[in-house]
């Protein structure tokens, strides 16, 4: 086990260009937070979980100069790993108290610095490291061990994302102003760019996550899927149920769901307005406040959190009203239009988040012709159609047919991947660009 930890430490130092001080810091924090769990009473468990979570998340809200000086690279994802391990260990140690302290600390620290998880997630936890299938072994490029299909898919997504990122959208973002939405033409352009922007970030982020998961499979560490096909979401709030699950799903499991259940028990007798505030709005706001702090607690982060929370609450309300109308909720045309606008809105929120300081406050129009926007629309629709087709291919449970389909997809993505990286974007092959986009 010590050899595995040493290997993970060396990989972390090599990838992040960090020194031994970062490894010592991670080991100390892990020791301080993990050891007390063995001696907790049931009455103090909830308090400890709250204190430990705050202790790990609050440093992310400190000034950037402090974080770059004192926190190790990748601390955002490390904090998720530690919090998840702490929540898991509270229940695990009640049933398995015989595990010694050195194994407990070593396995948790290994989860924190599991290779590649500190770039884009998903984060590993004590649960995956403690799994019987995990063992120390030198990388063996075997199909049964390394997930070849996930590796190809990850590189394919990254390459497509890089291709979309190479389009010159900066001028469009800088020309955007809130007042320009009064124009139908400008609003149409914004919807197109929003849809395009969703795919750009989704492909880059999900591609890096898939490569991370594939790399960890070498060590038989099976982490969660960071994304669950957000492109099939019909409403805005459904995207968040499928997006960046490394943090959103864990916040839901550890905070959102307990808060909702508590609110249902305590406030179910209140009138509908108060009941909706405590059961729906408060847990949603809590989720996005934590997300804002986790992203850095800057003004733009809280703006992003506020806008996302507002749209999520409104989307929930709207979906409940639509569900009452059976003819509308089952209308295929309505579903596809709703899906397109939801993904576009998500992309627009990302535009506002990334370029909040560059958005002009002056009244201005977007002076672009439709021909300039046509490539963005066509390319993003082609990508959308491909991934929808890919999801639909595996709807049935025929193992033999699915295996043939999987090899066909693998072959197709490999060919396109070669074309993209050799003919179109050869500069992507450098490790510097790969690590940049993985981050």
């Amino acid at each position: 086990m010590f050899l595995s930890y040493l290997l993970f430490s060396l990989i972390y130092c090599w990838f992040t260009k960090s020194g031994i001080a970062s490894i010592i810091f991670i080991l100390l924090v892990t020791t301080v937070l993990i050891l007390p769990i063995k001696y907790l009473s049931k009455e103090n468990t909830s308090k400890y979980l709250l204190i430990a979570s705050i202790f790990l998340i609050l440093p992310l809200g400190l000034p950037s100069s402090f974080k770059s000086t004192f926190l190790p690279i990748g601390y955002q994802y490390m904090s998720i790993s530690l919090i998840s391990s702490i929540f898991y260990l509270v229940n695990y140690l009640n049933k398995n108290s015989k595990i010694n302290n050195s194994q407990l600390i070593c396995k948790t620290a290994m989860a924190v610095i599991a290779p590649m998880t500190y770039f884009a997630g998903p984060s590993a936890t004590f649960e995956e490291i403690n799994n019987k299938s995990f063992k120390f072994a030198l990388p063996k490029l075997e199909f049964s061990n390394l997930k070849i299909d996930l590796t190809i898919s990850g590189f394919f997504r990254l390459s497509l994302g890089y291709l979309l990122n190479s389009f010159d959208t900066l001028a469009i973002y800088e020309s955007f102003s809130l007042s320009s939405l009064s124009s139908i033409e400008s609003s149409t352009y914004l919807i197109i760019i929003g849809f395009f922007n969703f795919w750009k970030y989704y492909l880059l982020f999900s591609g890096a996550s898939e490569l991370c998961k594939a790399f960890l499979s070498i060590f038989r560490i099976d982490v969660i899927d960071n994304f669950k096909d957000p492109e099939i979401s019909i409403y805005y709030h459904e995207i968040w149920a499928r997006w960046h699950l490394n943090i959103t799903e864990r916040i839901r499991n550890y905070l959102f769901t307990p808060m909702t259940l508590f609110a249902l028990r305590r406030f179910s007798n209140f009138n509908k307005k108060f009941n909706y505030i405590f059961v729906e709005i408060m847990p949603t706001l809590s989720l996005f406040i934590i997300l804002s702090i986790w992203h850095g607690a800057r003004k733009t982060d809280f703006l992003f959190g506020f806008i996302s929370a507002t749209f999520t609450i409104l989307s929930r309300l709207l979906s409940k009203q639509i569900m009452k109308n059976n003819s509308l909720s089952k209308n295929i045309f309505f579903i596809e239009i709703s899906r397109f606008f939801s993904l576009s809105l998500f992309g627009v929120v990302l535009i506002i988040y990334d370029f909040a300081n560059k958005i002009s406050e002056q009244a201005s129009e977007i002076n672009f012709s439709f021909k300039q926007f046509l490539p963005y629309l066509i390319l993003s629709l082609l990508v959308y159609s491909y991934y929808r087709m890919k999801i639909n291919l595996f709807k049935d449970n025929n193992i033999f047919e699915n295996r043939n389909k999987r090899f066909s997809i693998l072959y197709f993505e490999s060919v396109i991947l070669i074309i993209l990286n050799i003919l179109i974007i050869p500069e992507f092959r450098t490790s510097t660009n790969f690590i940049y986009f993985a981050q």
Side-chain angles (χ1 to χ4, degrees), residues 372-396:
Q372 287 179 285
F373 279 79
L374 198 57
Y376 299 91
L377 180 62
I378 293 173
L379 188 57
S380 52
L381 284 175
L382 283 173
V383 174
Y384 170 73
S385 300
Y386 171 72
Y387 280 102
R388 283 296 305 281
M389 179 272 295
K390 190 176 177 180
I391 292 168
N392 291 331
L393 276 177
F394 298 100
K395 276 187 174 180
D396 57 343

Side-chain angles (χ1 to χ4, degrees), residues 232-300:
I232 66 173
S233 303
I234 299 173
Y235 304 105
Y236 181 89
H237 71 276
E238 292 178 352
I239 300 174
W240 278 110
R242 298 170 175 273
W243 183 274
H244 200 356
L245 301 180
N246 186 40
I247 183 169
T248 56
E249 188 173 89
R250 282 160 174 158
I251 293 176
R252 276 193 295 272
N253 292 340
Y254 306 144
L255 178 68
F256 189 93
T257 302
M259 278 186 69
T260 303
L261 293 173
F262 174 78
L264 283 170
R265 287 195 298 267
R266 295 293 297 271
F267 307 109
S268 58
N269 296 327
F270 283 54
N271 63 48
K272 287 185 178 181
K273 289 182 180 180
F274 278 102
N275 190 39
Y276 187 80
I277 289 170
F278 288 110
V279 174
E280 293 277 356
I281 296 178
M282 293 304 292
T284 302
L285 287 175
S286 301
L287 185 148
F288 284 104
I289 287 171
I290 292 174
L291 276 176
S292 300
I293 296 172
W294 184 82
H295 277 97
R298 298 160 297 185
K299 289 181 181 179
T300 51

Side-chain angles (χ1 to χ4, degrees), residues 8 110 114-115 124-125 128-129 133-134 147 213 216-223:
F8 284 11
M110 282 175 62
T125 67
E128 288 90 35
I129 299 295
S133 65
F134 169 77
K147 296 181 178 178
K213 189 176 173 98
L216 289 176
S217 69
I218 294 174
F219 305 98
R220 299 185 184 180
I221 301 174
D222 188 23
V223 292

